[in-house]
Amino acid sequence: MSNIVIVESKNDRIFMQAMVEKLNCDIQVASPIYIDDYKSLEGLSETELIKALKNSIRKIDQKDIEKIGIIIDIDNDSEPERLEFVDRCIKQVFEAESLSSTKQFIDICTDYGTNAKLACYFTNVGGQGELETLLKEIKAIQSPYADCLDRWKTCIESQGKEINQKHFDKFWVSIYLRYDTCSNQEQKQAGKKCSMSGFDYVMEQKKDIWDWDNPALDDLKEFFKLFC
């Protein structure tokens, strides 16, 4: 029997798979729930999460899956609100007890009476954010190009404009990848090797640009250890 984790996007899958490999766990990071990275809570599709859960039913009934994890961004929501969202989706697919906290398994049961366990985690730093928020927090090398964006943000705000933190974190990570971590040779193929669109290359070739021992990863590691 194996374990499976459902994630929100391709880049989430790439990062989480790297974390799994670091922890040496037997977990398959499943095809992601594709949503628009820039949508708010209304953009996190209940339909897509339900579909992803339904796709696991046959494997549960065949006893190919023992444990299921769900990882989605907390964004600007509260943990109880995210739990309510996930719990609502679960109960449209399985017979299940209520999901009352993260990093704890609940028992789920298919229509054929086959049991499995399910737990969830919400990507965050300090109770808010998404993948880029976490990446910004765990950067491992000097980042003068990206750090100068703080002064740019201050300048923008002094002009009566604003950029929300979610978009700023995305911009920060894109500059970090493009200018702080990209070699002269890689610059020739920056789109493929120095950007979030080339995140698979980044995570295969440059894992050391992230601090894998950063305390910001402790909760996520605790979640994955449930499956080890």
Side-chain angles (χ1 to χ4, degrees), residues 2-199:
S2 61
N3 305 310
I4 190 167
V5 172
I6 299 167
V7 295
E8 195 171 317
S9 73
K10 176 184 175 183
N11 285 340
D12 286 306
R13 178 183 59 77
I14 292 167
F15 180 80
M16 298 306 170
Q17 189 63 52
M19 176 66 75
V20 166
E21 291 168 3
K22 285 281 184 182
L23 296 173
N24 195 28
C25 293
D26 179 21
I27 308 171
Q28 174 190 351
V29 183
S31 298
I33 308 164
Y34 285 106
I35 65 167
D36 184 341
D37 283 343
Y38 288 91
K39 288 184 179 178
S40 60
L41 178 61
E42 290 77 18
L44 180 55
S45 170
E46 185 173 311
T47 301
E48 290 300 318
L49 180 51
I50 290 170
K51 180 181 176 181
L53 290 169
K54 285 182 175 178
N55 286 342
S56 69
I57 291 176
R58 181 177 59 82
K59 291 185 177 181
I60 293 173
D61 287 332
Q62 292 176 345
K63 300 189 183 298
D64 291 332
I65 294 178
E66 180 182 13
K67 298 174 182 177
I68 298 174
I70 298 171
I71 299 177
I72 60 175
D73 299 332
I74 199 165
D75 287 327
N76 294 318
D77 229 57
S78 69
E79 184 172 298
E81 288 170 324
R82 274 300 197 234
L83 284 168
E84 182 182 358
F85 170 82
V86 175
D87 190 59
R88 187 167 63 247
C89 294
I90 292 168
K91 289 184 175 178
Q92 292 188 54
V93 180
F94 302 106
E95 292 182 20
E97 55 190 298
S98 292
L99 190 67
S100 59
S101 63
T102 62
K103 300 181 295 180
Q104 289 188 8
F105 282 120
I106 60 169
D107 293 318
I108 58 174
C109 184
T110 71
D111 289 342
Y112 291 97
T114 310
N115 296 312
K117 293 185 178 296
L118 185 148
C120 71
Y121 178 78
F122 306 134
T123 304
N124 75 96
V125 174
Q128 290 194 322
E130 56 179 355
L131 177 62
E132 281 85 352
T133 314
L134 185 59
L135 293 177
K136 181 173 181 285
E137 186 72 14
I138 67 168
K139 66 97 177 182
I141 65 174
Q142 291 187 343
S143 50
Y145 285 96
D147 290 341
C148 281
L149 290 174
D150 289 329
R151 278 176 281 179
W152 170 80
K153 185 172 184 288
T154 299
C155 178
I156 289 291
E157 291 169 345
S158 72
Q159 302 298 315
K161 306 293 182 180
E162 65 178 68
I163 177 170
N164 68 40
Q165 193 62 44
K166 180 173 181 172
H167 292 178
F168 180 78
D169 289 345
K170 287 180 179 293
F171 192 23
W172 192 99
V173 172
S174 70
I175 297 299
Y176 179 65
L177 295 180
R178 178 67 175 82
Y179 294 104
D180 289 311
T181 71
C182 201
S183 70
N184 290 336
Q185 186 64 31
E186 288 170 333
Q187 294 272 6
K188 298 175 182 178
Q189 293 180 287
K192 293 182 179 179
K193 298 183 177 181
C194 309
S195 70
M196 290 301 285
S197 61
F199 198 50

